Every structure is written in C-alpha cells, then in structure tokens.
Amino acid sequence: MTDYKAERAEAWREELRKSIPAKDRTNLERVEMPMQDAVERRSNNLEVNLGLTEEMAVKESHRCLDCANPTCVTGCPVNVNIPKFIKKIEAKDFLGAAAVIKETSTLPAVCGRVCPQEKQCESKCFYTQKLKKPAVAIGYLERFAADYERESGKMSIPECEKPNGIKVAAIGSGPASLAWAADMARKGYDVTVFEALHEIGGVLKYGIPEFRLPKKIVDVEIENLAKMGVKFLTNTIIGRTITLETLRERGFKAFFIAAGAGLPRFMNIPGENANGIFSSNEYLTRVNLMHAADPEYDTPVIKGKNVMVVGGGNTAMDSVRTAKRLGAERAMIVYRRSEDEMPARLEEVHHAKEEGVEFLTLNNPVEYLANDKGQVQQAKIQKMELGEPDASGRRSPIPVEGSEYLVDTDVVVVAVGVSPNPIITSAIEGLDVDPKRRTIIVNPENNQSNISDIFAGGDIVRGGATVILAMGDGRKAAEGADEYLKSLK
Amino acid sequence: MNKIVKKRFFSENVVQFVVEAPEIARTRKAGNFVIIRLDEKGERVPLTISEADTEKGTITIVVQRIGVSTYKLAALNEGDYIHDVVGPLGHPTHIFKAGTVLACGGGVGVAPLLPIVQAFKEAGNRVVSILAARNKDLIILEDEIRKYSDEVIIMTDDGSYGKKGVVTVGMEDVIAREKVDFCVAIGPAIMMKFCSLTTQKHEIPTVVSLNTIMVDGTGMCGACRVKVDGKTRFVCVDGPEFDAHKVDFNEMLMRMGAYKEQEKEAFEAYKNALA
C-alpha cells in the first residue's frame, strides 16, 4: 500500500506546495485541450485532441493542491498515484511522472485518452467535490506524461523478476489481457497472449477509432510488453484452434480469459437485416481493423449519405463520428432516452456535436424499410417520453403511441450493446457462467472462476464496461493468479 | 503465415490448395471452416475445410475465382504464404446414423461436402451423392466423393457430363426410387434454396451449410446474420449448418448481394491493373 501521507511529507513535495499559495492555485482556470478544427477534422482521421504543451501541463499541475487526503485516487479503478505524478509534472520531471503512472497502469497513453475521467478520478477531485469548480485535468495530464515519455524515446521498460519458467496464458488481447500480461511478466512468469483476430489489441484496435486513439500508440505499448518477454500469438482461438485442455497438457499453469463482449445485440425489429444495416462492431471493425475506407485495402464498407446510429454510448459516438469522416451528409444519433441519460462520455457527445452530428433523442426506430434490392431506405421512428426510473436508475423511455414518422437513411449502425462472446465459455466444460447474461462468474476478490486455474476479467465478466475497468480486472486477476500459483508449490 | 504446400487446378477457375496449419488440422471436424487473409491489405474470407492431414499438419481448401480476393488467392503458388489462416470455425456437422443420406454438392460446394460424405459413410449410412455443376469442367473431387459414396450421380446443366439437368432433377429421381432419410446440400445459395424446396415437398430433413458474407467469423460483427425459423442467427457461431427448411433463403440471397457494386468495381480495377 502506498503511504500517501509519508510521500506527501517528502521535502520536494512540501517545497512545491509552498511555492504557490493555495488561493492562487485555485484561482487558475482549468486548461483547455487544444483540438483539431471541427470542420477540418471531419475530412480526416487524425486525432481530435492534440495534447497539452509542456507549458500548459505545468500550469495545469499548479492547480493541483496536493491534498492531504487525495480522494482522486479512490476514483481510479487502478489507483494511479495521482498527486505524485502531477507534482512530478509541476517539478518538470515529466519522465518521472510517467514512471509514477506506470507503477499501477499498463497503458497510460491509452487511459489518458479513453478513460471517462469525469466519472472517475476527476469526479472525486477536491475542485469538483468542495470548490464546485472544474476538476484538475487529471486525464489530460496523464496523457501528457505518457506522450512525453513515448516521444522522448526514453520509454522505460518495467523491471521484471527473474524468470520462474512457469507458463501462463491470456486469452484475448484487449486492455484486460494486456494489463494481466504486464503484471504477470513483471512477476517473472512466461506469458503468452492468444488472440483470435490477426492483430493484437482487441477493442483498442477494432473498436476505438484512430481519431480518438491512434493505433501507433497502442502498438508502442504492445512492443513494450514484447520487450518484457510477453509472447503474442494471433489467429488463435482458444477453444477452437487449441483447446484449454491442450494448453494444460503443454504446461500452462494458469489462464486469464478476457475474450471480450464480442457478440453484438440487435433490436429484432422488422427490416433489421436489410443491407446497409450494421452492428457497430461490424461497422467499426470494417473501418478500423480492416481499413475499409482506404482504397488500398480490399475490405469494403457502405458509405452512407444519411447515416443513422442507434444508441447513446461511446460506441455510438465512435460510429457516428466515423460516418461523418466517411462523408455522410447527415449523421444522426437516434437514442430512446434524453441526453441526460446518455452513457457516452460528455467529451464524445460534445465532439460529435461540434462535428455536425444531429441528436434525435427520445426517438427509437421500430422498423426499417428497404428497396427491391434489399437496401435500407427509410427508418420508421417512434417518439418516446420519459417515465419512472428503471433498474439502472435512469428514467425509462415510454413509446408515444401514434408518433411514428419516417426518416431517410441508407446506412444504419446499431450500437445498442454487446453480449459476451460464446466461443470460449461454451468450450470449457464446467465453467460457471451466468445463465442469463452469459458472463463468466468470478470471485470479485481475485477474479478467479470456479475452475481454480482459470481467471477472467473485462467485458466477458462485466458484460460491457470501460478500458480502465478491464485493466483493473487484469491487475486484480494477476494478483490472484500469482497467489494461486504460489499456493501450488 | 501459412505455407501453401500443394496447388492443383480442378478447372480454369477452381483451385485446390493444401496449406500448412497444424493446429487447425488437429482440431477441425467435418463442417468447420477457416477465415483467411491473403496479405496485410486483404479482406477476411471464409472458406470451408475440405480435408485435413493431421500427420502432415495441413488442411485443404478449394476456391473458385469470382472476385478480387479469390483471384489473388488463385494466383499464389506452392511455396507462397497466406498471411493469416484462423480456425476451425463454426459448429461441426452433426453426424449420425440416419439410414440413407442424400448428399448434394453444387459447384465448389462439393469441397465442403466431401468430409461430410465421408463422416456419414463412416457412421454406417448408405450415401448417395449428387454432384452438380454448369458443365463437365466444373465437376470436382468426383473420385474422392466416390470413395465414400454408395452411388454418385453427376448432373450438368449442359449435359456435357453425366445427366443433363439441375441438381433437383437428380434428387427427384433418387427420392422417387428409394426412401431417403436425410439430405445435406452445399453449394451456391440459389442451389441450396431449390434443394431445400425439393426435400421440403417430400418431408425429408435437410441441412444446408451457409456461405454468407463474414468479417471476423467469431460472432463479433453480425455481417453473416440470416433468418432461420423467423429468428436472426449468426452463420459463423450458430452455424454454418442449419435446418434447410427453416432458412430464409430470399433474405440470405439479398444479403449476399450487399457489396455487389463495390465488388464489381474492385474487380474491374484489379483486372485493369493486371492488363
């Protein structure tokens, strides 16, 4: 356990704190993230957020009060030592800041970009809680430190314990697995990551678009894991190409299943199988993983003129903003609740609006109409109103009878959620799976399943969550697996 | 990277490849398929495994040249590599003792039919196989099918080999003369649709192996979805084999045409680049 008090009492921290009066710190305005122009970025796939400059980062770090009780840390699923890394930035030790983050987070450059900080660390910041002011831009600062380190060419590779020769396997190569693999490698294990697709990275590659998370950033993180000795095997489906039993025979002693929530949900409404209607997984996979929008690549995608994306989560925002970049004249979000209930990050909603995305909230498709070639032409939309809060605590949408109207659309992306991928769970006999949600049931203490050498985490356990929660699972499961393996001796 | 160890032309447009894939060769069963990607920029193409050799660690696939990816694949030679091969995917065929099994293969559909014919024969069934194609050149794997069939009927549209007529003519003949307990039909969607209509008329349980458009092949994208018994199913993880009488073939045919325009354009561009 980190002794935050003792660390805070260190001379350099104290000195920094005294260098600027708290009142002056709280009077500073929160930094604004430099961004690509909203009109310009619609015609390219480059990252929207450009990152803070050194001056901006240091200035923002002045806002952090280095609280005696750093509540921000409690908002972070992997408990990044937030005050310490921010004070390192204030001391202009940017590499030191990155090293602090990497003590607990495997993918800081990724998390600095895609974490919902406003719901996590920043929601627990003293500024938000007590001062009712905008939080310290913890996410921006995390990204700054990670980017600075990567671009400096002095990226530190975490030290690993002496190899213990024990073989362990991660199944899936998304954020949960990468976090698990990193921790296990550090503990000296011989780690192999098995991936079904032809690229490592899972949702970071097929799901999150380039304009939100450049793929080269993910690749650098994967290369670092490789330098730590982690082996990666693509095109390998555990349960199909190789069974778990065979891996056991080949000497693997523990497994971490993080195969993701790879089964898209549809709404099962009439006409939903018309051409031009995609799951968000298919649409994003074609564009991100298969590079369908690049004429150099063979995979096609249908570029719509009037694109409708159904849903209100981050995946919906990623899809609709992708559609804009593929040249859609009209790109719409159709969401059955109101904007207040949208699960997407505020920043994504904001960016989408800036890019000209229309929001049809309290609207829900009930049918699709196609032409004689089976190509979708129109959606029949029903208006909704909000009723009493449902199980999720959000006010539930109620259809307004007789309110249906038609909207022209030639591409529809259904982004209403995903279910766990059935391949791996159905291939392991006796594995405890939630009968309804099809998620793997684990002990929340150590992410161990009912089969003692099998651990699991990420969306295959949670049914659909965030990168950071997946990573948190990976870290917890690594602790669990380490303990389990040590108990065998 | 998977090495091509053997290449054989069945006809101008139909090629058989034996590819190194030891893990897949070991775990595949009749009815499974693989997804291949030719190179860094290639698309993911599902192809059914027709044979496997566990000792040599190879699988056999048969491909008909129809578009850019299949032309590029057919242009590869022994010693060349396929960038990615992943599998085995899909549920294997449910093999059981039915009695008399009528196995119908249309065009390259005979390749995925082969291991199924073999498995049904080995399960103690009487197997009557019908191989159908437009002309003699397109009849493939006849000897291999004969090895595991009690009888083989050849049907060609132009009468250049075997009997003249479409596959259903041969089916009606068999059904008229003997009791058929089970039918398997694999081939172009339109052929499977008419096979299904034929056996439905005679109330013979039938399975078809669907060859819809796919991307990942692991249930992730839903590109392959098709209505079966009024419910949307994913061919890659719920199939590829389904009760033929419950498949919405019209919807499937429509969905398979989703990229017709792009495929045509890409193919024109490919041919022009070669010319």
Side-chain angles (χ1 to χ4, degrees), chain A residues 219-335:
Chain A
D219 284 330
V220 169
E221 304 286 358
I222 293 163
E223 279 162 31
N224 282 342
L225 285 176
K227 282 180 195 157
M228 289 163 69
V230 175
K231 288 170 247 178
F232 293 98
L233 218 58
T234 53
N235 294 323
T236 310
I237 306 170
I238 302 306
R240 288 292 169 92
T241 315
I242 309 174
T243 63
L244 201 85
E245 205 38 56
T246 304
L247 289 182
R248 284 195 186 109
E249 284 162 20
R250 291 181 190 174
F252 285 87
K253 297 291 182 211
F255 305 91
F256 179 58
I257 302 178
L263 203 67
R265 281 193 212 129
F266 287 94
M267 294 169 68
N268 297 315
I269 57 176
E272 206 177 22
N273 289 349
N275 290 330
I277 304 181
F278 302 89
S279 72
S280 49
N281 263 0
E282 179 182 357
Y283 188 67
L284 292 172
T285 298
R286 283 181 182 272
V287 177
N288 298 333
L289 182 75
M290 306 308 295
H291 306 273
D294 183 339
E296 292 275 298
Y297 287 75
D298 292 341
T299 302
V301 67
I302 300 172
K303 294 179 187 175
K305 212 161 111 182
N306 297 303
V307 180
M308 174 182 288
V309 176
V310 186
N314 286 323
T315 311
M317 298 306 142
D318 286 344
S319 302
V320 79
R321 296 173 68 199
T322 296
K324 259 290 179 215
R325 283 159 177 78
L326 295 188
E329 285 169 21
R330 190 173 183 208
M332 299 162 265
I333 284 284
V334 176
Y335 181 55

Side-chain angles (χ1 to χ4, degrees), chain B residues 14-247:
Chain B
V14 181
V15 197
Q16 182 190 56
F17 288 101
V18 179
V19 181
E20 273 178 6
E23 301 281 12
I24 301 172
R26 219 169 35 78
T27 48
R28 72 96 212 188
K29 290 195 177 87
N32 284 142
F33 65 95
V34 290
I35 292 240
I36 67 156
R37 198 173 70 121
L38 290 179
D39 52 51
E40 289 274 340
K41 290 174 179 168
E43 56 184 340
R44 293 171 66 94
V45 184
L47 291 169
T48 310
I49 304 165
S50 65
E51 290 167 85
D53 187 326
T54 46
E55 268 169 39
K56 291 190 183 127
T58 59
I59 58 166
T60 304
I61 50 177
V62 176
V63 61
Q64 181 171 17
R65 295 201 302 188
I66 40 168
V68 174
S69 293
T70 46
Y71 261 76
K72 282 185 184 170
L73 174 59
L76 294 183
N77 290 307
E78 287 172 13
D80 288 344
Y81 286 84
I82 298 174
H83 201 283
D84 303 286
V85 178
V86 62
L89 295 161
H91 288 295
T93 310
H94 173 58
I95 304 292
F96 63 105
K97 178 94 192 281
T100 297
V101 175
L102 183 59
C104 308
V108 282
V110 173
L113 189 69
L114 175 62
I116 298 169
V117 165
Q118 178 182 354
F120 270 110
K121 182 70 207 162
E122 284 165 0
N125 292 286
R126 168 176 157 78
V127 180
V128 179
S129 298
I130 304 178
L131 309 187
R134 283 204 308 279
N135 57 48
K136 188 181 178 197
D137 279 354
L138 298 173
I139 294 288
I140 61 167
L141 295 167
E142 186 190 335
D143 291 344
E144 288 84 347
I145 291 281
R146 272 195 196 282
K147 215 165 119 190
Y148 305 109
S149 305
D150 294 275
E151 186 185 344
V152 175
I153 297 164
I154 311 278
M155 302 293 304
T156 53
D157 292 1
D158 64 357
S160 55
Y161 188 42
K163 263 192 172 164
K164 185 174 166 158
V166 292
V167 64
T168 48
V169 174
M171 293 171 75
E172 291 285 10
D173 285 352
V174 177
I175 296 165
R177 71 164 198 228
E178 66 180 294
K179 183 173 176 288
V180 174
D181 299 289
F182 191 70
C183 176
V184 188
I186 307 181
I190 191 79
M191 169 257 180
M192 291 192 281
K193 176 184 169 178
F194 283 101
C195 290
S196 173
L197 288 171
T198 302
T199 57
Q200 195 162 20
K201 204 167 60 188
H202 298 285
E203 294 177 0
I204 300 166
T206 301
V207 299
V208 283
S209 176
L210 305 185
N211 48 354
T212 49
I213 294 171
M214 290 185 191
V215 183
D216 66 288
T218 61
M220 213 180 82
C221 81
C224 63
R225 66 193 190 274
V226 62
K227 243 187 248 116
V228 181
D229 205 13
K231 277 193 202 128
T232 294
R233 308 292 298 275
F234 288 4
V235 171
C236 64
V237 286
D238 297 323
E241 288 171 17
F242 293 100
D243 179 343
H245 301 154
K246 290 180 177 162
V247 172

Side-chain angles (χ1 to χ4, degrees), chain A residues 51-66:
Chain A
L52 304 183
T53 62
E54 286 179 31
E55 292 71 31
M56 290 167 132
V58 172
K59 196 172 161 209
E60 182 64 17
S61 74
H62 292 328
R63 294 183 68 227
C64 173
L65 298 168
D66 197 4

